Amino acid sequence: MALSLNIVVCVKQVPDTAVERTLRAGDGTLDRASADGLINELDEYAIEEGLRLAELHGGEVTVLSVGPGKAAESVRKALSMGADRAVHVCDEGLHGSDALVTSLVLAEALRLVGFDLVVCGSESTDARTGVVPAMLAERLGAAQLTLASRVEVSGREVRVRRVSDAGAETVTGSLPAVVSVVEKINEPRYPSFKGIMAAKKKPVRTVSLAELGVEAPAAG
């Protein structure tokens, strides 16, 4: 019997590094409204890996994003690549959130939608903390399999190949699991015209902090 996976890919919209960026006068945070936004590059590899695993084992791919209203553009692009649906956590109370808050919100959203496998990029090009996948796994009580250059699923077991300065190693864990991927894992597909048109009809659920039972972090 084919394994049907409930895969959730975490996607972040980041400012285009090729254009000038400015800070907000009030709090010194990045003025995202004035910057062109795009999908974090490493998240595109995560999308591709999620789609590849769903095509191989059966199942569906949900895109999960935390960000302002403008992030909906990146959500739609992820859908045009082939994801089935999306959840967008959008709330003014999230402005300026750090990795701790982001991982909490993502974890609560994942509990809301359900998952077998969460796939993330290894880091974002704006913050470059690289800690959110590990935080997610800890908050969810799920297996943590990070920095994967190959992902294989067999039954309820996930096996990844990780390459580091010390060499290559194989790490295994059981579903549910959180996996982060590096750029060498695959070649992300380009959205086709058919995919772009289909994405316009795919469901996108917008969720607030109140719906997740999360209080907005205190300013400052």
Side-chain angles (χ1 to χ4, degrees), residues 5-11 43 46-47 50-51 54 59-65 75 78-79 82-88 106 109-110 112-120 202-205 207:
L5 291 172
N6 181 6
I7 301 171
V8 181
V9 180
C10 296
V11 173
D43 293 348
I47 296 167
L51 295 172
E60 294 186 322
V61 175
T62 300
V63 171
L64 171 60
S65 186
V75 169
L79 291 173
D84 299 285
R85 62 182 54 82
V87 175
H88 180 192
L106 285 171
L110 284 162
L112 179 68
V113 302
F115 67 95
D116 295 312
L117 181 66
V118 180
V119 188
C120 310
K202 291 179 178 178
V204 178
R205 180 179 179 181
V207 180

Side-chain angles (χ1 to χ4, degrees), residues 70-178:
K70 192 174 181 179
E73 302 165 1
S74 294
V75 169
R76 285 294 176 188
K77 181 180 178 182
L79 291 173
S80 70
M81 290 174 69
D84 299 285
R85 62 182 54 82
V87 175
H88 180 192
V89 183
C90 183
D91 196 297
E92 282 296 323
L94 286 168
H95 176 75
S97 295
D98 60 11
L100 281 169
V101 174
T102 299
S103 65
L104 172 62
V105 173
L106 285 171
E108 293 305 318
L110 284 162
R111 291 190 177 98
L112 179 68
V113 302
F115 67 95
D116 295 312
L117 181 66
V118 180
V119 188
C120 310
S122 57
E123 64 179 7
S124 63
T125 56
D126 55 352
R128 294 198 179 278
T129 64
V131 298
V132 170
M135 288 179 169
L136 268 183
E138 177 67 20
R139 290 187 185 281
L140 295 167
Q144 176 192 158
L145 303 147
T146 52
L147 304 177
S149 60
R150 185 174 67 222
V151 180
E152 298 173 341
V153 178
S154 178
R156 301 297 295 179
E157 182 183 80
V158 185
R159 180 183 300 107
V160 308
R161 184 173 188 267
R162 177 190 291 156
V163 178
S164 67
D165 294 338
E169 60 181 344
T170 299
V171 182
T172 62
S174 299
L175 297 176
V178 177

Side-chain angles (χ1 to χ4, degrees), residues 2 48 55 169 174 210 214:
E48 178 62 33
E55 290 164 355
E169 60 181 344
S174 299
V214 177

